[in-house]
Amino acid sequence: ILNVEQSPQSLHVQEGDSTNFTCSFPSSNFYALHWYRWETAKSPEALFVMTLNGDEKKKGRISATLNTKEGYSYLYIKGSQPEDSATYLCASSPDGTYKYIFGTGTRLKVLA
Amino acid sequence: DTGVSQDPRHKITKRGQNVTFRCDPISEHNRLYWYRQTLGQGPEFLTYFQNEAQLEKSRLLSDRFSAERPKGSFSTLEIQRTEQGDSAMYLCASSIGLAGGSGANVLTFGAGSRLTVL
């Protein structure tokens, strides 16, 4: 994998459903993996920065895991709410560079 | 501090005109970044400042683009002789520079400046 790839591109879930997305990134020269949430007409908001293989982070109903050896991260949302509707972006920083490489995002719509 | 501010939020211009975007970062952040997002893509790195020094400029930026950060405070991104391909969301972000690698720095983004070139 040369680029950061996210899947799915978009999804709709019902309120209360749990969901997860995938971010795949180059595993060589790994330094850090970032997750951001971007609501329409607002600023992208940082969710997590993960650096260690096996890392697991949690913020309320949202959690993320990291596998640096195989180059993927999962973002989980438990009990989705309409306010979780947003685009979720991941970004890799190979070699510790400040030139973060972003994926194209997963657009989540939570239906009430 | 109200976060990172960008102005204008929306700009519609005719091809060939010049446009300038302004970014006011969080005051204690010494690092400032510009990214561009086009339809269907993720944000792409454009340029980076540490204090007032522009340390890197992406190959994406042609000679028509120039960015400044006088006195290490606010930054401007100017596009001369705009083309339709310049239509995009221009995002500014800032961060505190940590010792060692930069890759774990959390970026605080502004809401972006959306440019439409007719």
Side-chain angles (χ1 to χ4, degrees), chain A residues 31 95-98, chain B residues 31 48 50 96-105:
Chain A
Y31 188 89
D95 294 323
T97 176
Y98 45 77
Chain B
R31 296 183 176 184
Y48 160 69
Q50 180 150 318
I96 292 176
L98 298 175
S102 303
N105 290 176

Side-chain angles (χ1 to χ4, degrees), chain B residues 78-100:
Chain B
E78 182 183 14
I79 309 173
Q80 295 182 324
R81 304 181 304 282
T82 52
E83 301 173 356
Q84 288 184 325
D86 298 330
S87 296
M89 173 76 84
Y90 290 85
L91 289 164
C92 176
S94 67
S95 75
I96 292 176
L98 298 175

Side-chain angles (χ1 to χ4, degrees), chain B residues 17-68:
Chain B
Q17 298 294 305
N18 298 345
V19 295
T20 299
F21 301 118
R22 176 180 170 123
C23 172
D24 287 90
I26 291 175
S27 54
E28 59 265 28
H29 285 184
N30 60 337
R31 296 183 176 184
L32 186 144
Y33 314 76
W34 284 98
Y35 281 80
R36 177 174 70 186
Q37 187 193 34
T38 53
L39 197 62
Q41 300 298 313
E44 296 172 295
F45 172 81
L46 292 180
T47 192
Y48 160 69
F49 290 85
Q50 180 150 318
N51 300 310
E52 65 274 12
Q54 185 175 21
L55 296 188
E56 186 154 355
K57 189 175 170 181
S58 165
R59 289 174 298 169
L60 291 174
L61 288 190
S62 70
D63 292 342
R64 297 183 296 104
F65 287 72
S66 62
E68 294 182 343

Side-chain angles (χ1 to χ4, degrees), chain A residues 9 31-34 36 38 41-46 48-49 51 87 89 93 95-105, chain B residues 4 9 31 33 35 37 40-45 48 55-56 89 91 100-112:
Chain A
Q9 223 172 12
Y31 188 89
L33 192 283
H34 299 249
Y36 287 85
W38 194 0
K42 295 187 178 180
S43 310
E45 172 197 359
F48 306 113
V49 179
T51 57
T87 296
L89 292 165
S93 168
D95 294 323
T97 176
Y98 45 77
K99 292 187 288 186
Y100 297 3
I101 303 170
F102 281 85
T104 54
Chain B
V4 177
R9 292 290 305 276
R31 296 183 176 184
Y33 314 76
Y35 281 80
Q37 187 193 34
Q41 300 298 313
E44 296 172 295
F45 172 81
Y48 160 69
L55 296 188
E56 186 154 355
M89 173 76 84
L91 289 164
S102 303
N105 290 176
V106 174
L107 304 185
T108 301
F109 281 93

